[in-house]
Amino acid sequence: MKILTLSTKFKIVIIPMAFVLIAKSYVSAQTPISVQTLPQVNTDNSEFKIILNIFFGLIGSIALLVIVIAGFRYIVSRGEPQEIARAKNTIIYAIVGLVIAILAFSIVNFVVGNL
């Protein structure tokens, strides 16, 4: 194992620090970028809002379909505790997913509407 002397440690710390300071002064001496030369982005968000509304509508539709299927499984479970528990859990998870989809829809519409 090589033991570093004080002068070696000093070089390891000071040389990179000097490089950073010199580079920082060189970079900050450059001319600033004008805002007019930067590319402009179209801020029309109606397409974005339509796409997200369709997406959240599909998610809500899928959640409702899962609730209907789980209800059907609950009906045809014939009193078996495991099947009833599976159907109830599926209904609960689908309702949670539906609530999350509705909240996401509301939040996105609120945020996009205020841009």
Side-chain angles (χ1 to χ4, degrees):
M1 178 183 220
K2 185 177 178 181
I3 299 175
L4 298 176
T5 63
L6 185 59
S7 64
T8 307
K9 291 178 185 177
F10 183 74
K11 289 176 187 175
I12 291 173
V13 172
I14 294 299
I15 291 175
M17 288 177 70
F19 178 74
V20 168
L21 291 174
I22 291 170
K24 182 182 180 284
S25 65
Y26 176 74
V27 170
S28 64
Q30 302 297 318
T31 58
I33 297 175
S34 173
V35 176
Q36 286 77 21
T37 61
L38 296 175
Q40 301 298 318
V41 178
N42 185 8
T43 58
D44 183 25
N45 52 19
S46 62
E47 294 171 358
F48 181 67
K49 189 174 180 180
I50 290 170
I51 291 170
L52 285 177
N53 286 343
I54 291 171
F55 176 73
F56 291 128
L58 287 174
I59 296 295
S61 300
I62 291 170
L64 285 174
L65 180 66
V66 169
I67 290 171
V68 169
I69 292 171
F72 182 73
R73 289 174 73 187
Y74 184 78
I75 291 170
V76 296
S77 66
R78 296 180 304 246
E80 294 179 25
Q82 291 176 340
E83 293 296 320
I84 291 173
R86 278 183 61 197
K88 282 182 180 179
N89 286 339
T90 304
I91 291 171
I92 290 170
Y93 296 144
I95 290 173
V96 169
L98 184 62
V99 168
I100 289 172
I102 291 170
L103 288 174
F105 174 80
S106 301
I107 291 170
V108 166
N109 280 321
F110 176 76
V111 170
V112 171
N114 288 331
L115 288 179

